[in-house]
Amino acid sequence: MNIVDKRVIGIVGAGTMGGGIAHLAALSGFTVILWDLNETLLNKAIDRMNGMMNKSISKGKMTEAEKDETLARVTTTTELGQMERAGLVIEAIVEDLDVKKEMFSRLDDILQPDAIIATNTSSMSITAIAEATKRQDRVAGMHFFNPPQIMKLVEVVRGYKTSDDTVATLMSISRDLGKEPIEVKKDSPGFIVNRVMIPQFIEAIRLVEEGVASPEDVDKAVTLGLNYPMGPFTLQDFAGVDIGMHVMDYFYEEFKDDRFAAPLSLKRLIRAGRLGKKTGAGWYDYNS
Ligand code: NAI
C-alpha cells in the first residue's frame, strides 16, 4: 500500500514564506509537517501563527478552539526524514540554487515515488532545480505571495519535464488552500508577476535618479494613477530592497538585457545596509 497522503503537506523552511504557507495549509485543514534547521526558527514560526490568530480572535473572526485545532495540525521538526509521508512538499528555503538543489536531492531520497516536490522560488529555473531529482515530472513551482495567508495568487510553474498530472494536482491543492492559481506554461525567469513588476521598480528608480520626481511622488502617482495598493518604493521596502536587486541581477544574467540592469542608487542603498523595513530603513526611513 502506498503511504503517501495528499492531505499531508510538508513545508521546508519556516521563514517568512514557509511559516506563512504552513499556517495557511493548517487553516485550510491540511496536516502540516514544518521543517527548519533549528528549534528556534520553528518556534518563531509558531509564535507568528499564534500572534496572527490572536488578532483574528480579538476581532471575533476566530475562536480559541479553532486556533488550537489549527496549531494541532502542525508538527514541527528538524528531521527531514519526517517528510516521508507527505504527498506534497513545498520548499521555501533561501533563494540559492545550489542550496535548493541539495535540498531537492535529499527530499527525492526521502519521499515516496509519487509525492510532488514544489518550490516557492521567486525567480529561479524550475527545470534547474528539478535536475537534482529523479522525479522531474513531479517537480514544479508553486509561487505564493507575501503574506501567503492573505495574498490570493499562486503561480503554478511548469519545469521542462513537469507532467500535466502534477500541474493539475497543484492547481487543485492551491484551490483547496483558498487561492486563485494560474498556470505558468513555461519555465521563464520571474514567471509572470516578477517579470512585470521588476521593470516597474527599475523605471521608478530611474525616474528618481533623473530628478523627475521624488520616491514619495512616484509612489503617490502609481497608487492614485494606476490604483495599485502600494507604490514601487513602498513595496520594495516592504519586500526587502535586496531581494528586488537579486531578482534584477538574475534577470540581467539570464536575458543579457540592459533593461534589467540594477540601478546604481539601488546598489548604494544596499551597500549602506538599508534593506527596507526589516532593517529599519530602505528607500524610506522607518526609525523616525
Ligand atoms: P526567509 O529567510 O524568511 O526563510 C528562509 C528559511 O530557510 C530560514 O528559516 C532558514 O533557516 C531556512 N533554511 C533552511 N535550510 C537552509 C540552508 N541550507 N541555508 C539557509 N537557510 C536555510 O526567506 P523567505 O523570504 O521566506 O523566502 C523563502 C523562499 O521563498 C525563497 O526562495 C524566496 O525567493 C521565496 N519567496 C519569498 C517571498 C517574500 O516576499 N519573502 C515571496 C515569494 C517567494
Side-chain angles (χ1 to χ4, degrees):
M1 197 184 81
N2 198 327
I3 61 164
V4 163
D5 187 340
K6 297 282 181 225
R7 300 299 295 178
V8 179
I9 297 185
I11 314 281
V12 171
T16 309
M17 292 306 291
I21 298 165
H23 189 197
L24 168 72
L27 284 168
S28 309
F30 286 89
T31 300
V32 176
I33 307 165
L34 179 61
W35 175 93
D36 209 318
L37 296 169
N38 63 57
E39 296 290 344
T40 311
L41 294 162
L42 292 165
N43 291 338
K44 278 189 187 162
I46 297 292
D47 287 348
R48 288 197 302 275
M49 293 180 201
N50 237 317
M52 206 170 181
M53 288 191 284
N54 284 339
K55 275 192 194 149
S56 299
I57 291 170
S58 65
K59 289 182 190 158
K61 293 179 178 168
M62 188 180 233
T63 63
E64 281 286 347
E66 283 166 342
K67 183 183 96 171
D68 293 345
E69 282 161 21
T70 305
L71 289 174
R73 283 194 279 271
V74 183
T75 305
T76 58
T77 183
T78 54
E79 298 285 325
L80 203 61
Q82 297 279 316
M83 293 292 166
E84 192 191 8
R85 69 193 176 105
L88 164 66
V89 172
I90 303 172
E91 168 277 313
I93 60 171
V94 280
E95 189 77 342
D96 179 308
L97 186 59
D98 290 335
V99 177
K100 284 192 190 295
K101 282 176 84 166
E102 203 217 318
M103 176 55 72
F104 269 68
S105 164
R106 288 174 69 195
L107 287 169
D108 192 34
D109 289 341
I110 292 166
L111 300 181
Q112 299 299 310
D114 60 345
I116 294 175
I117 322 177
T119 173
N120 185 48
T121 178
S122 312
S123 59
M124 294 191 162
S125 163
I126 308 303
T127 311
I129 296 171
E131 282 296 311
T133 74
K134 292 183 271 313
R135 63 177 83 207
Q136 291 159 31
D137 58 324
R138 303 194 74 70
V139 173
M142 201 176 183
H143 186 212
F144 291 84
F145 293 79
N146 189 18
Q149 297 96 323
I150 295 176
M151 297 293 281
K152 277 280 169 200
L153 183 69
V154 176
E155 292 179 325
V156 174
V157 189
R158 271 182 192 274
Y160 198 83
K161 293 179 185 164
T162 307
S163 70
D164 291 346
D165 187 50
T166 297
V167 171
T169 304
L170 294 183
M171 298 289 280
S172 161
I173 291 176
S174 300
R175 288 189 194 99
D176 289 346
L177 292 169
K179 300 293 147 185
E180 302 255 3
I182 49 154
E183 183 187 337
V184 181
K185 295 176 196 288
K186 280 186 191 169
D187 184 14
S188 177
F191 319 130
I192 298 171
V193 173
N194 282 338
R195 180 76 179 276
V196 171
M197 185 182 73
I198 289 294
Q200 292 186 354
F201 284 176
I202 293 172
E203 220 44 52
I205 297 167
R206 284 184 185 149
L207 277 170
V208 172
E209 286 184 346
E210 289 165 18
V212 176
S214 66
E216 288 84 353
D217 282 350
V218 173
D219 274 355
K220 200 172 184 179
V222 169
T223 48
L224 299 182
L226 292 174
N227 213 11
Y228 285 15
M230 270 186 226
F233 292 101
T234 306
L235 183 53
Q236 285 177 76
D237 276 359
F238 179 74
V241 174
D242 51 331
I243 290 179
M245 197 180 84
H246 286 317
V247 182
M248 288 173 202
D249 288 348
Y250 182 64
F251 283 7
Y252 186 72
E253 180 61 32
E254 284 286 298
F255 291 107
K256 304 276 186 271
D257 187 333
D258 286 346
R259 273 188 301 155
F260 300 113
L264 270 179
S265 60
L266 174 65
K267 291 186 193 171
R268 262 187 234 118
L269 202 68
I270 291 169
R271 284 176 192 143
R274 294 179 61 128
L275 306 183
K277 272 197 147 168
K278 62 186 171 185
T279 59
W283 291 106
Y284 298 116
D285 201 332
Y286 300 92
N287 294 311
S288 50

